[in-house]
Amino acid sequence: MSDRENILSALREKPLKVYQIMRRANVANEEACQTLLLKMRDDGLVKFDIHKGLWQISGTAARGPTST
C-alpha cells in the first residue's frame, strides 16, 4: 500500500496527531508525512482540527468512492 492509503487506514478508527499517524502508517519522515497530509487536505480526503491538533478523515473520504 502507498503512504496515502496507509494514512487513510490509520485515520479510519479515530482522529490522530502527526506522530501517531507516522507510527501507524509507518512513515519515517515527519516532513514527508505532513506534506502528504496537506496534499490530502487540499484533495478533501482529510481535515485538521486546529483546536485539538488532530487529523481526521473528512466526510467525503469516509463514505468511500461512489459507483454509478
Side-chain angles (χ1 to χ4, degrees):
M1 288 191 345
S2 69
D3 285 342
R4 183 179 276 238
E5 292 168 343
N6 289 342
I7 288 173
L8 286 175
S9 177
L11 289 173
R12 291 212 194 284
E13 293 179 29
K14 62 181 180 178
L16 299 169
K17 294 187 178 194
V18 173
Y19 290 112
Q20 295 167 325
I21 293 170
M22 288 174 58
R23 258 188 296 161
R24 288 184 180 212
N26 198 22
V27 178
N29 186 336
E30 180 182 356
E31 186 176 334
C33 185
Q34 288 179 341
T35 300
L36 187 53
L37 283 165
L38 291 173
K39 286 180 184 177
M40 291 170 68
R41 183 190 66 182
D42 291 343
D43 293 340
L45 296 173
V46 297
K47 59 185 178 179
F48 182 71
D49 183 341
I50 195 164
H51 301 290
K52 297 179 183 176
L54 299 173
W55 287 92
Q56 60 189 0
I57 293 180
S58 69
T60 56
R63 284 185 240 127
T66 57
S67 59
T68 55

